[in-house]
Amino acid sequence: KLAFAQGVVTFAGQPIALALRTNAVALRAGGLSLTVPVPIGNADLLPCKPTLTVVPEGLRLNCTAANIPGAVLDGLTAKVAPKG
């Protein structure tokens, strides 16, 4: 069973090491490793490197930036602007 608690991910009671890679999360336990793609879009457009946090619900990626590239703002505006 996979569990998320107190900043640690475990499987069948064994801790899993986590590492954030470009567009993926790498998991390692014992001699096994797995890379899980993270659909964050175009990493070149992100204004910062996300941080990975273990929360009771799973994994959380956070990104905070003061300057957002124009291409990202244009895309967000197109998606939230009312049509018609």
Side-chain angles (χ1 to χ4, degrees):
K1 179 177 179 179
L2 192 60
F4 303 88
Q6 300 175 352
V8 177
V9 178
T10 58
F11 181 74
Q14 299 299 312
I16 297 176
L18 300 171
L20 187 58
R21 307 271 189 254
T22 302
N23 289 337
V25 175
L27 301 97
R28 190 178 72 244
L32 303 174
S33 62
L34 174 68
T35 300
V36 179
V38 178
I40 58 173
N42 187 341
D44 294 335
L45 292 178
L46 290 177
C48 63
K49 181 180 177 183
T51 57
L52 179 67
T53 306
V54 179
V55 295
E57 302 81 30
L59 303 177
R60 178 180 296 151
L61 291 171
N62 291 320
C63 179
T64 303
N67 297 312
I68 300 174
V72 173
L73 286 176
D74 292 344
L76 290 173
T77 302
K79 289 187 185 238
V80 297
K83 295 185 182 194

